[in-house]
Amino acid sequence: MIPAPPPTALDDNHGLAADWRRSLADAGPEAAQVLAALAASDAAAMAAHFYHVMMDDPRASRLLSHEQVRTRLQPAMQRWVRDLLCAAPDTVEGLVAAQRVVGDVHARVGIPVDLVTRGTRILKQRLFQSIAEQAGHGQAAHAAIASLTASFDIALEGMTLAYSSARDRSSRTDAAYRLFSLVQNVGAERERQRALLLDWENTLLYTLASQCDPLGLPSLSRSEFGLWVTHKGIPSFGESDETRQISALIADVDRALRQTQADGDDPRARAARLQEIRTRVGQIRSLLGMMFERIGEMDASCDALTNLLNRRFLPTVLRREIDLAVKSRGSFAVLLLDLDHFKSINDAHGHEAGDRALQHVAALLSQFTRGSDYVFRYGGEEFVVVLVSVDESQALAIADGLCRRVAESPVALPGGHTLAVTASIGVALYDGHPDYERVMARADAAMYQAKKRGRDRVVLADGTQPEAPGRVSLQRP
């Protein structure tokens, strides 16, 4: 016997909607009137109470700010409560679909499931009290409570289905990402990182030997090597004993460097501190070699045309950068770059010329970004650059430089011909919102404005740009 195919999200939606319609029919019109009255009188108070309780939990307060709650989340929760209380047979299909969207958002942001279930429990308890106060304890009140319980339970089930599906997809992608080397040649990357570490060490030796003030020397964690470890090394190799030891050793080196600065001109103290730093750096070098030897040469599952990272890894990278930004109180930026008039390039010069243009721009983006940054082929003629550990001025300077490099570097075509290309770039700085789709949407809106303002330019997302038409979410089934 051939097994039946697994149920789809559409099947789940129809099943939940059918259950919801039955519960509403069983409750009857009097219960619906009780709940509708409750929606009009209590929805705002319920939303405020929900977030008052939620923000007492340190996990929620780390993810959400009071400003976000006041301006965006509380009004959205008020609408959610009102929609559930006013549910009708002809609206439940849309309501079930809306719960799946909420579940997807919770998965992207990383809201713990127990916080959501606690919140719905608290809301139900308060709403039960309000029903008793407004409708007494008669048959209509009991039917309203039963209907309300069913609506909340079905809504939570729809959220949980979407949440589980999204988390499963994310886990699979994260696992693939950890097995994925992030570079085309592991041997070359190993030598590059060894060289960066050696360069930092040699700069330190020169600074101390020449009796210069080491205050101007960047800490190891802020060096190119340190940024690579934090933003690429650990995500690539995964959390392991080696990566944890390297992180701890980098912190030890930075502490010793600060103490060297405090030692002043005492040559013995400086010499002892320098030996301590060099010992730690040697241990880091050894651990780095062990990690690269274990990972070996891998098949880098990247974009076949440009050899850039595949966009399916973008949510993994953005989730980690948001987590790092929250922990370090830092920031990062997303650049969304679109080649101008790309269709006319294909039409006038053929698809081979278009492919050459994409490969040319991909090479420029890789060459003129830092080793700790990420460059993705986003799709078609679009690219995404994730600039780690930057502020607004740094992000704009890099974006302006990339825009200029593209414009000043024509594409070489067969026969000695060249093709001029330009790019429009939207820049969005991480604004503290826990959902990575938000920073992508802002970069997309800014890029769309760069197109409208004449192309071949950089536009910074400032919150005033309308959403770009036709935007597609990163999170796909």
Side-chain angles (χ1 to χ4, degrees):
M1 177 180 291
I2 299 175
T8 65
L10 192 59
D11 296 330
D12 293 334
N13 281 7
H14 288 327
L16 290 174
D19 290 344
W20 207 334
R21 278 191 289 268
R22 278 194 294 272
S23 75
L24 294 173
D26 292 342
E30 290 187 10
Q33 290 176 1
V34 171
L35 294 178
L38 205 61
S41 63
D42 282 32
M46 291 297 110
H49 178 65
F50 175 85
Y51 278 109
H52 175 74
V53 173
M54 287 281 279
M55 294 302 282
D56 282 341
D57 190 299
R59 293 173 297 167
S61 60
R62 279 197 299 269
L63 291 166
L64 308 171
S65 70
H66 289 282
E67 179 66 16
Q68 290 167 348
V69 168
R70 184 183 63 82
T71 60
R72 301 182 76 250
L73 299 179
Q74 198 163 296
M77 172 58 72
Q78 185 176 335
R79 289 191 298 273
W80 183 82
V81 171
R82 188 183 300 116
D83 288 345
L84 258 62
L85 292 174
C86 295
D90 60 343
T91 66
V92 293
E93 291 278 0
L95 287 173
V96 169
Q99 308 319 305
R100 298 191 77 101
V101 172
V102 172
D104 272 338
V105 173
H106 287 171
R108 290 202 302 268
V109 173
I111 297 287
V113 173
D114 62 290
L115 281 183
V116 179
T117 55
R118 182 199 307 171
T120 55
R121 173 174 58 80
I122 290 167
L123 280 179
K124 282 195 292 187
Q125 290 173 345
R126 288 292 294 264
L127 287 166
F128 291 165
Q129 294 173 5
S130 295
I131 289 172
E133 292 168 1
Q134 295 186 21
H137 298 278
Q139 184 174 350
H142 285 293
I145 289 174
S147 178
L148 174 65
T149 300
S151 292
F152 268 70
D153 290 349
I154 292 169
L156 189 59
E157 185 176 345
M159 284 185 211
T160 305
L161 284 168
Y163 184 96
S164 299
S165 177
R167 295 295 282 187
D168 286 346
R169 289 197 304 272
S170 296
S171 296
R172 288 194 299 271
T173 303
D174 291 354
Y177 182 75
R178 291 189 186 98
L179 294 174
F180 171 85
S181 84
L182 295 177
V183 289
Q184 299 313 297
N185 189 313
V186 175
E189 184 67 14
R190 177 181 57 210
E191 294 309 312
R192 182 171 186 271
Q193 295 311 318
R194 281 178 173 172
L196 287 173
L197 182 58
L198 180 62
D199 182 60
W200 184 89
E201 184 180 13
N202 286 340
T203 304
L204 173 66
L205 287 171
Y206 175 80
T207 301
L208 296 182
S210 58
Q211 300 296 312
C212 294
D213 186 355
L215 189 62
L217 183 70
S219 63
L220 184 55
S221 61
R222 299 297 301 171
S223 69
E224 274 222 54
F225 172 79
L227 289 173
W228 178 87
V229 168
T230 301
H231 296 277
K232 276 195 174 178
I234 293 174
S236 178
F237 293 103
E239 295 283 351
S240 66
D241 288 341
E242 288 87 356
T243 55
R244 282 189 286 270
Q245 287 180 59
I246 287 176
S247 296
L249 286 167
I250 289 174
D252 288 344
V253 168
D254 285 350
R255 275 194 295 271
L257 183 60
R258 288 193 297 271
Q259 290 166 350
T260 302
Q261 295 163 359
D263 290 336
D265 297 327
D266 184 342
R268 289 188 178 182
R270 278 196 167 203
R273 207 76 69 190
L274 177 60
Q275 185 56 45
E276 178 186 351
I277 290 174
R278 297 196 69 187
T279 299
R280 298 287 189 272
V281 170
Q283 292 170 329
I284 292 171
R285 191 178 293 111
S286 175
L287 288 165
L288 189 69
M290 290 168 56
M291 289 196 315
F292 272 106
E293 284 172 13
R294 188 166 61 248
I295 198 170
E297 295 291 341
M298 287 186 174
D299 174 26
S301 304
C302 53
D303 177 65
L305 178 65
T306 63
N307 287 328
L308 297 180
L309 289 172
N310 192 300
R311 67 169 279 162
R312 74 189 180 104
F313 292 129
L314 186 50
T316 299
V317 169
L318 291 176
R319 280 196 304 270
R320 176 164 177 80
E321 288 305 315
I322 288 173
D323 185 53
L324 288 171
V326 170
K327 289 177 179 176
S328 66
R329 299 182 183 274
S331 188
F332 66 92
V334 170
L335 274 54
L336 185 55
L337 180 149
D338 186 278
L339 296 190
D340 297 326
H341 303 298
F342 187 72
K343 183 178 183 301
S344 65
I345 293 175
N346 282 331
D347 292 344
H349 302 278
H351 287 280
E352 183 180 349
D355 288 349
R356 282 176 178 262
L358 293 172
Q359 291 168 333
H360 176 76
V361 172
L364 289 175
L365 295 179
S366 298
Q367 182 180 358
F368 294 104
T369 51
R370 301 165 300 173
S372 52
D373 298 326
Y374 293 85
V375 185
F376 294 84
R377 168 88 182 278
Y378 192 55
E381 66 273 24
E382 289 186 324
F383 300 87
V384 167
V385 181
V386 179
L387 301 174
V388 305
S389 193
V390 293
D391 57 25
E392 181 180 302
S393 62
Q394 293 168 325
L396 284 174
I398 295 172
D400 286 332
L402 292 174
C403 191
R404 187 178 62 256
R405 297 243 179 220
V406 171
E408 294 175 353
S409 305
V411 181
L413 297 179
H417 301 292
T418 59
L419 174 66
V421 291
T422 61
S424 301
I425 303 179
V427 181
L429 214 68
Y430 171 61
D431 64 355
H433 197 284
D435 187 356
Y436 59 78
E437 287 284 2
R438 178 181 171 94
V439 70
M440 286 301 302
R442 291 169 53 240
D444 201 6
M447 188 272 289
Y448 182 67
Q449 287 301 309
K451 292 282 189 187
K452 288 187 68 176
R453 295 178 190 177
R455 298 179 170 83
D456 187 21
R457 68 192 61 226
V458 173
V459 171
L460 175 68
D462 58 11
T464 64
Q465 294 102 351
E467 185 170 326
R471 167 162 169 71
V472 178
S473 167
L474 279 176
Q475 192 68 273
R476 291 175 172 174

